[in-house]
Amino acid sequence: MAGGRGLGRALVLNATYEPLCVVPVRRAVVLVLKEKAEVVHHRDEVMHSERVDFPVPSVIRLVHFVRVPFRARAPLSRRSIFVRDHHRCQYCGAAAENIDHVIPRSRGGEHVWENVVASCRPCNAQKEDRLLKDTHLKLRRAPFAPKETIWIVVAVGTVDPAWHPYLGDMPEALPA
Ligand SMILES: [Zn+2]
């Protein structure tokens, strides 16, 4: 039976098509059946219940606009930094294992998006508590505060390809 667990989750869009959250598919179906949301995109699978067969929603959109408390920035965490940096060392491109403060904290560097990067152990060790200009390391790109929707990838781990148009330029999945 298709209505069981493992159906995954659906992306919920605000009435304005901005991504709001991710909910279990069953919850998405309830919202649609209650006419609180409409299906924007569904998968090829069908879920069966006693009363109704329903295509499994992948993206739904709320009928009424929901005001979301202003969140200026995506939450900064080790996991979200790794997602932004695609789990790659921002100095050499190797698999990242550490978080590096570009301006070391011991020199007044802040723990903010613009001053943290994923780094591999050797680069992290090479840099120590020095400023970039005192090392041979170069940043491949300047660290930046990512779009707020990065939290969806952080929360879910993988992203349904059907969600991409609503999330913008995002990493598709967290590397294992
Ligand atoms: Zn490195």
Side-chain angles (χ1 to χ4, degrees), residues 58-109:
S58 168
V59 181
I60 64 170
R61 172 178 167 252
L62 297 181
V63 173
H64 298 290
F65 178 73
V66 171
R67 195 166 291 281
V68 186
F70 180 69
R71 256 182 303 167
R73 309 198 128 193
L76 181 60
S77 68
R78 180 185 169 87
R79 194 168 154 87
S80 55
I81 293 164
F82 273 47
V83 170
R84 182 197 64 184
D85 293 345
H86 301 263
H87 283 234
R88 291 283 145 197
C89 174
Q90 295 303 292
Y91 298 114
C92 76
E97 294 170 273
N98 293 8
I99 299 296
D100 183 66
H101 289 88
V102 178
I103 300 171
R105 303 208 77 176
S106 61
R107 296 187 177 225

Side-chain angles (χ1 to χ4, degrees), residues 88-97 118-124 126 137 140:
R88 291 283 145 197
C89 174
Q90 295 303 292
Y91 298 114
C92 76
E97 294 170 273
S119 89
C120 70
R121 242 181 257 271
C123 286
N124 197 222
Q126 199 187 328
L137 299 170
R140 305 193 139 199

